[in-house]
Amino acid sequence: RVVVRKDGGWGLGGPSTTEYEPEGGLMFYESSRVLCDECVVLDSLKESDVRAEARGAIIVTSHDATLATDIEIRASISIDNAYSGMTYEGSGAVNGARVVDSWISGNVGNGITLAVDGDIALTRVTATSNGGDGIASYSSISATLTDVRSTGNAGEPLRGVSGSPNGAGAAMPS
């Protein structure tokens, strides 16, 4: 189990800060065979330069076609963060990515942002009360939804993602 509450970012007060300095709470960069079990990211702030990219609370990044393979986020929670709850991004691909039994709520951006190629399976996931879309895809990623609940978000329940946003979802964390 990992619990993260991030209070900073790159380039705090630095004269060389640019918009190319991504930040987030928990990041898996070019990683394979990863299990993030009971990971919690909550109440994280974005206090870096206004141009720095606020990518997400839990991030999977890939800039290669094969390095990000077999990554599972299981029984995890992302709540009340100053960016998207979970983000899959990069110029490469994620292969065999999974989010299972996870809760994403109250984040400033989307619940889940998909901005990378490859494939992902979302199973028993709840995305609710986020400031953007519940689940949004900005790429050609293949997303499979099973018992996903996406409701009460400021934007669309699903944007660029096929499937139903009315499944059972994940159980509310206690």
Side-chain angles (χ1 to χ4, degrees):
R1 176 179 294 172
V2 174
V3 178
V4 175
R5 182 184 181 271
K6 189 181 103 26
D7 283 340
W10 292 3
L12 290 173
S16 62
T17 300
T18 71
E19 68 272 19
Y20 301 108
E21 297 168 336
E23 65 174 284
L26 182 60
M27 179 179 276
F28 302 95
Y29 193 93
E30 307 291 15
S31 301
S32 290
R33 296 178 303 281
V34 172
L35 172 60
C36 180
D37 192 19
E38 296 184 0
C39 295
V40 177
V41 182
L42 68 146
D43 196 29
S44 294
L45 305 174
K46 182 192 181 300
E47 294 188 348
S48 60
D49 187 90
V50 296
R51 296 173 298 162
E53 301 170 307
R55 289 293 192 187
I58 299 174
I59 307 170
V60 175
T61 298
S62 177
H63 296 289
D64 181 271
T66 60
L67 290 178
T69 301
D70 189 24
I71 299 170
E72 181 172 330
I73 298 173
R74 181 194 312 151
S76 295
I77 302 168
S78 178
I79 56 173
D80 296 333
N81 297 289
Y83 11 71
S84 291
M86 291 183 188
T87 300
Y88 291 77
E89 65 91 28
S91 57
V94 295
N95 303 289
R98 298 171 306 283
V99 179
V100 180
D101 295 323
S102 296
W103 184 275
I104 302 104
S105 179
N107 299 289
V108 170
N110 297 329
I112 298 175
T113 298
L114 305 172
V116 67
D117 292 337
D119 63 274
I120 186 167
L122 307 175
T123 305
R124 292 179 306 280
V125 172
T126 296
T128 186
S129 303
N130 294 290
D133 298 323
I135 302 167
S137 177
Y138 305 101
S139 65
S140 63
I141 193 168
S142 171
T144 303
L145 280 60
T146 305
D147 284 333
V148 168
R149 182 130 188 104
S150 179
T151 184
N153 300 290
E156 298 295 320
L158 304 176
R159 181 181 303 274
V161 178
S162 298
S164 172
N166 300 315
M172 184 176 208
S174 54

